[in-house]
Structure formats: C-alpha cells, structure tokens
Amino acid sequence: MYFSGTYHLMRLSFVCDVFVANGSCCFFVLRVMMCTADIGYSMFACVIMSYKNKSWNERSRRLITLVFGLFLGFVLIFGESRWETSPLIEESLMLLGCIGASIGAFGRIWCSLYIAGYKNARLVMDGPYGMCRNPLYFFSFIGGVGVACATETMTIPLIVLVAFAVYYPLIIKREQKRLTELFGEEYSRYCDEVPAFFPRWRRVSQPETYTVNPKVFTHNFIDALWFIWLIGIFEFVSGLHDSGVLPVWFRLP
C-alpha cells in the first residue's frame, strides 16, 4: 500500500512538471482526478485483500476509515472553506487543528510503545492503559478532530464528532466483550478500576523498563505521523486553490 501510494505521488509530481511546461490547467486537473482515483482504488484493493485476515473490529474500522478518507479527499480537492475571508476564524481553526493533531500523534505513539506486539498476548495496564482502557481510540478522537479543524471549516469537525459519537461506543463494547473472553476475571477487575474512554490522568504509571517490539512499533509510529502529514497536504492543496490550479466547486461553512 505504501509503495503504491508513493508511485502515484511520483506520477502526480510528473504531471505538475507537464502542467508548468504546457500551461494546460484542464489537463492538470484531469490528471489529478485520475491519480486520486488510482490511489483510492489501490487503497480499496489493499483493504479487500487483507479483509479476511482481520477481526470484525479491524475490518469495520478499515472500511469506515477508507470511506471517510475518500470523502475527505474529494472535499479537500474540490472544496474550500467559507472562512477564507475571516482570518481570525480561519487561523483559530488551524491552530486548534495543529494542537489536536499533535496530541493525537503523540498519544498514539505513546500507546503503541506499550501495546506493540502484546495486543492479544497479555493484558496491558501500564502507561496510557492505566488511565483508560481505550487510549488509542481516545487519542485517535483528539487527532481526528484536530485534522478536521485543519480543513478550516466547521462542517468537517462536526461530521467527525458525530461519527465518533455514533460508531466508537459500538466498537468499544465489542472490544470489551472480546477481551473479557480472552482474559476473563483479570479484565473484569481492570474494567472496574479503569474508565473505558475518558482518561483519569492521575492513574498513569510508567515502569522503569519495558520491552518493545520494534517492528510493530515502527509501523504504528509511521501510522501516527499521518495526523501531522495531512495538515501539510491540506495547506498544499489550499495553495493550489489560491493559485487557480485546482477549481473550487463548493464552499463549506
């Protein structure tokens, strides 16, 4: 998946060179749409290929993330914020986005440090897993809302909030049932002491030493960085709108 995405980005870079040489805006926009469709198809193919090997929770999360990502990509490429003429609101949303994305990325890396390689092997209760049972979901929520704010709209953050509020309680409930079957009484006691989603920060405990699986941790580390990279992509596309390279078909509040 990463190789395919890199390949298509190289194609997009080549098309930019052609655009500069020929001055053909229509040609450039058409090629951007084709590259976007190719990337979307590649992502969809990768999801389907790995679909059967994942748990229900992972399968549903991947599919929903894919659908939302494609929707966000369409909005990003062909839409623009209505707050472009209100610098205070626009910059405030960007600031919130940067803060939220940074917290989300750091939190997911922190969680991965503890859970990498141990997901189903043993019950992890140290570090962020001492303050709540689902810290990965919590930090994903913070990072997701942050990235949505970085679109400098109020519509996208609202959609993300509603999506999390509707979808993630179901995921957490199924995850709790699975872990109860896996770890039994130990997990039941853990549930009695530690909240499901919203952290109790005073419960955080850090062991002096901890063994980490480098391969799994590195993969999760790269995934977490997408919170940051997406903001840069948003700003790049905004520049393409301002320069007239990409058309603006609609504006979002």
Side-chain angles (χ1 to χ4, degrees):
M1 182 173 179
Y2 292 113
F3 173 79
S4 177
T6 302
Y7 166 73
H8 289 298
L9 287 176
M10 290 173 64
R11 286 179 57 190
L12 184 58
S13 176
F14 169 74
V15 172
C16 288
D17 293 338
V18 173
F19 165 74
V20 172
N22 297 340
S24 176
C25 182
C26 293
F27 175 73
F28 176 76
V29 172
L30 177 62
R31 293 295 291 175
V32 167
M33 294 173 65
M34 291 175 63
C35 287
T36 303
D38 286 347
I39 293 171
Y41 176 79
S42 299
M43 292 172 62
F44 180 76
C46 288
V47 170
I48 295 301
M49 289 175 63
S50 61
Y51 189 82
K52 294 182 179 181
N53 298 325
K54 302 297 180 181
S55 66
W56 186 93
N57 281 355
E58 288 185 273
R59 294 199 302 266
S60 59
R61 283 201 303 271
R62 283 173 178 265
L63 288 174
I64 289 175
T65 301
L66 173 63
V67 172
F68 183 76
L70 292 175
F71 164 74
L72 186 61
F74 175 81
V75 171
L76 172 67
I77 292 174
F78 299 112
E80 191 174 64
S81 172
R82 286 187 177 179
W83 305 110
E84 292 283 340
T85 56
S86 302
L88 179 60
I89 296 177
E90 182 185 27
E91 296 305 321
S92 296
L93 287 169
M94 177 55 71
L95 176 61
L96 288 174
C98 291
I99 293 173
S102 299
I103 293 174
F106 168 78
R108 285 192 62 88
I109 292 170
W110 185 27
C111 294
S112 297
L113 185 69
Y114 285 87
I115 199 68
Y118 298 111
K119 187 171 183 179
N120 296 315
R122 67 180 179 86
L123 184 60
V124 177
M125 295 181 287
D126 295 317
Y129 290 88
M131 65 183 187
C132 70
R133 301 197 303 273
N134 299 279
L136 272 171
Y137 296 159
F138 173 76
F139 287 113
S140 293
F141 168 72
I142 299 297
V145 173
V147 169
C149 287
T151 63
E152 298 175 349
T153 71
M154 296 184 183
T155 304
I156 301 300
L158 181 61
I159 291 174
V160 171
L161 282 170
V162 172
F164 266 90
V166 171
Y167 175 64
Y168 267 83
L170 301 176
I171 291 295
I172 290 173
K173 186 176 180 180
R174 287 189 173 93
E175 186 77 3
Q176 180 173 329
K177 181 180 179 181
R178 184 184 70 83
L179 292 174
T180 299
E181 294 173 353
L182 196 59
F183 297 110
E185 185 62 28
E186 183 183 14
Y187 184 73
S188 297
R189 290 195 301 270
Y190 179 56
C191 290
D192 292 338
E193 299 173 0
V194 180
F197 187 76
F198 293 104
R200 292 177 187 166
W201 300 100
R202 65 179 182 275
R203 288 190 53 87
V204 176
S205 61
Q206 304 272 43
E208 292 186 6
T209 60
Y210 197 85
T211 303
V212 179
N213 184 319
K215 183 177 180 180
V216 179
F217 175 72
T218 301
H219 174 76
N220 293 341
F221 181 88
I222 294 173
D223 284 346
L225 291 179
W226 274 105
F227 285 121
I228 309 298
W229 294 340
L230 281 173
I231 295 180
I233 294 173
F234 291 170
E235 285 300 293
F236 174 72
V237 173
S238 178
L240 294 180
H241 287 154
D242 293 341
S243 62
V245 174
L246 284 178
V248 178
W249 291 352
F250 52 86
R251 298 183 184 277
L252 292 175

